Amino acid sequence: MILKQFYLQCLAHASYIIGDEQTGTAVVVDPQRDIGQYLAFASEHALKIKHVFLTHLHADFIAGHLEVRDRVGATIYLGAAAKAEYAFTPMHDGDTVDFGRVRLKVLETPGHTPESISIVIYDLNVSDTQPHAVLTGDTLFIGDVGRPDLRAALGWTATQLGGLLFDSVHDKLLVLPDESLVYPAHGAGSLCGKAISKETVSTMGEQRRLNYALQPMSKEAFIQVVTADQPEAPAYFNYDAVRNSEERPTLDEALAREMNPLTLDAVLALQADGAQILDTRDADEFAAAHLKGSINIGLGGQYATWVGTVLDRTHPIVIIADPGRENESAIRLGRIGFDHVAGYLTNGLHSLKSRPELIAITERLSAPFALELLLSNKPPLAIDVRAPGERAQKHIDGSLSIPLNHLQENLKTLPRDRPLLVYCAGGYRSSIAASLLQRDGFASVGEIAGGIAAWESAKLPIRGINA
């Protein structure tokens, strides 16, 4: 038996191939939308991908089940409670798929979503009664369980799903042997849980001991603890959950339509007509020079998550990237279903060399100089765009808290006759925020270079729990 985990850091997403060397058959579970790595791995190990499972209809990314189906003819499997436009094999509790010396047994484990399943893996060369591992999807994470509050738009309350989650964890997963390996669909950084470990594999015994949500408690207490303090879900989550149930164009089809090289004049015309100009370069490069009105969300951070939070699906997107990274920029948009790219600026920012009047900069100030300005007679307004929990730990005295995911709805509350000085943890989110402020016409916008980390390193005063 072959069991391979693939981990996509920017979405904290784990997917899997299970293969049987004897028959050359493989299964892909929860694939990302760009499927090249699975095809390459299967080819290297003389495997044919015949089956593709989704543990549930994911909200935080567009899965690659249709891509796998169309490329290699694999059969799609979903939990029996799922509803989808495309043909799939519904899997009820206890249903199995056998190939060679591998057996996959499905457990219906609703809670994170109504149709969630977990997949118990048996290596029949070792035992047909003792499972080797369980793929838990978003039902059980390392150190956490899946949040039960993401299906309100579809009529499910967090309390309803929380109760189902309690039953799934206790009646289906905790009865598995301590030695069973636990492989979830997400790791630290995912918004599908609130306390997910950075580890991407564990054992059932270790989770029984260490996972806060698996400790002895009543169902009511469980629901209370797993629904409390969940991070806000980005707006695109509902869209992606529905999209994963629909027949849709594949990523290759979307890219073939989108990857259009555009002249500067064409980009300006699209911008004037309401297109969103997305600059995917690093924050330092963006600050030094960028097209006026463009939004910076760099490829070096949680790019797809912030695109899905800040941009919308009603206006086309034009990409400005370092030359050679346009395709990567579009692929990573496609991973969350943002298939409305109109094209990219040919030669990136080099196209603006002869048009200096179109270029803007963002001042990035050192922490000590920022403090001088904040202590001056006419100080800028410091804006902290981190999440409330981060701010509670430590923040700059006198700064205004507006989390980045709420900045655009609060633009009208900000003064336009006073300089603004934005900061975050390290500079990634503040660059996004500064670009949004500049696009909205704020004339004097700067950032604290290096964010609160640089502020602390310079031993400047902070407030908060950790002050």
Side-chain angles (χ1 to χ4, degrees):
M1 186 180 77
I2 296 170
L3 174 55
K4 167 69 175 176
Q5 182 186 71
F6 300 82
Y7 197 76
L8 181 61
Q9 194 69 47
C10 62
L11 287 174
H13 164 220
S15 52
Y16 301 88
I17 279 186
I18 306 107
D20 173 60
E21 290 185 321
Q22 176 185 309
T23 59
T25 300
V27 176
V28 183
V29 179
D30 291 333
Q32 63 192 62
R33 198 175 174 197
D34 43 320
I35 63 170
Q37 61 185 346
Y38 312 116
L39 302 179
F41 182 87
S43 177
E44 290 165 9
H45 293 81
L47 298 171
K48 179 176 175 55
I49 299 171
K50 294 184 179 180
H51 315 281
V52 55
F53 276 79
L54 296 190
T55 56
H56 61 291
L57 299 172
H58 296 271
D60 57 318
F61 69 96
I62 298 295
H65 50 301
L66 300 187
E67 282 75 6
V68 174
R69 178 200 67 184
D70 288 0
R71 186 74 69 86
V72 299
T75 299
I76 298 172
Y77 298 79
L78 301 176
K83 296 178 181 178
E85 293 179 355
Y86 46 82
F88 68 91
T89 299
M91 300 299 286
H92 297 83
D93 200 68
D95 285 352
T96 60
V97 174
D98 286 26
F99 47 102
R101 303 300 296 160
V102 177
R103 173 172 297 154
L104 306 182
K105 179 182 177 182
V106 166
L107 305 177
E108 290 188 273
T109 51
H112 176 65
T113 71
E115 77 288 344
S116 288
I117 59 173
S118 298
I119 303 169
V120 184
I121 303 171
Y122 293 87
D123 181 349
L124 299 180
N125 283 326
V126 178
S127 174
D128 61 358
T129 58
Q130 295 295 304
H132 172 73
V134 57
L135 306 185
T136 54
D138 286 14
T139 300
L140 174 63
F141 297 126
I142 310 306
D144 202 356
V145 290
R147 59 192 296 179
D149 63 333
L150 294 181
R151 289 296 186 268
L154 301 178
W156 289 87
T157 69
T159 298
Q160 287 174 314
L161 287 177
L164 292 176
L165 184 62
F166 179 87
D167 294 338
S168 293
V169 167
H170 288 83
D171 298 344
K172 304 290 180 67
L173 296 177
L174 281 175
V175 300
L176 296 174
D178 280 354
E179 299 77 21
S180 302
L181 296 172
V182 175
Y183 287 103
H186 288 295
S190 168
L191 294 176
C192 293
K194 61 182 177 181
I196 308 176
S197 168
K198 68 181 188 300
E199 304 299 327
T200 60
V201 62
S202 182
T203 65
M204 191 57 66
E206 187 174 60
Q207 289 310 295
R208 199 188 310 278
R209 291 190 302 274
L210 302 178
N211 190 318
Y212 78 94
L214 305 191
Q215 302 313 302
M217 66 183 85
S218 68
K219 181 182 286 192
E220 291 71 23
F222 176 89
I223 293 170
Q224 187 172 3
V225 75
V226 301
T227 55
D229 302 321
Q230 289 289 358
E232 274 193 76
Y236 76 91
F237 269 31
N238 279 333
Y239 172 77
D240 278 16
V242 172
R243 203 73 175 123
N244 276 320
S245 72
E246 296 175 336
E247 187 69 48
R248 53 155 178 80
T250 64
L251 181 60
D252 286 345
E253 291 168 338
L255 293 174
R257 184 183 68 248
E258 295 171 354
M259 294 311 294
N260 307 304
L262 301 172
T263 65
L264 177 58
D265 287 341
V267 170
L268 295 174
L270 284 163
Q271 185 180 33
D273 201 34
Q276 305 166 103
I277 311 301
L278 172 62
D279 191 321
T280 68
R281 297 174 301 144
D282 287 344
D284 286 339
E285 297 175 59
F286 181 84
H290 56 267
L291 175 64
K292 289 180 179 177
S294 57
I295 300 168
N296 178 228
I297 308 177
L299 291 171
Q302 288 187 306
Y303 168 76
T305 298
W306 283 113
V307 165
T309 301
V310 169
L311 303 189
D312 65 51
R313 297 184 305 278
T314 61
H315 296 85
I317 295 171
V318 175
I319 292 169
I320 298 177
D322 286 321
R325 301 196 77 181
E326 301 89 354
N327 200 57
E328 177 188 356
S329 300
I331 286 172
R332 290 172 64 179
L333 293 179
R335 287 175 180 163
I336 61 164
F338 273 51
D339 291 350
H340 51 294
V341 174
Y344 62 91
L345 178 60
T346 305
N347 296 322
L349 211 69
H350 299 303
S351 297
L352 275 69
K353 280 186 176 178
S354 61
R355 301 288 300 276
E357 75 278 9
L358 298 176
I359 295 175
I361 65 168
T362 309
E363 215 173 352
R364 305 198 100 192
L365 310 177
S366 71
F369 184 52
L371 179 59
E372 282 185 39
L373 292 180
L374 292 171
L375 296 176
S376 67
N377 290 330
K378 293 185 177 181
L381 174 62
I383 302 174
D384 182 349
V385 298
R386 297 171 302 153
E390 295 174 274
R391 179 176 172 83
Q393 296 297 316
K394 52 197 170 188
H395 62 268
I396 296 171
D397 192 26
S399 61
L400 177 66
S401 174
I402 307 181
L404 178 54
N405 56 331
H406 291 291
L407 179 62
Q408 293 184 89
E409 67 202 56
N410 284 288
L411 291 175
K412 291 181 180 178
T413 68
L414 296 175
R416 291 185 178 270
D417 57 352
R418 182 179 176 185
L420 303 179
L421 186 58
V422 188
Y423 74 92
C424 65
Y428 183 82
R429 285 172 287 177
S430 65
S431 185
I432 301 172
S435 67
L436 290 170
L437 291 165
Q438 288 180 317
R439 186 185 70 159
D440 202 63
F442 287 86
S444 180
V445 180
E447 296 176 68
I448 298 178
I452 198 75
W455 188 273
E456 276 194 292
S457 294
K459 302 190 183 327
L460 302 180
I462 60 170
R463 290 291 184 92
I465 297 170
N466 290 345

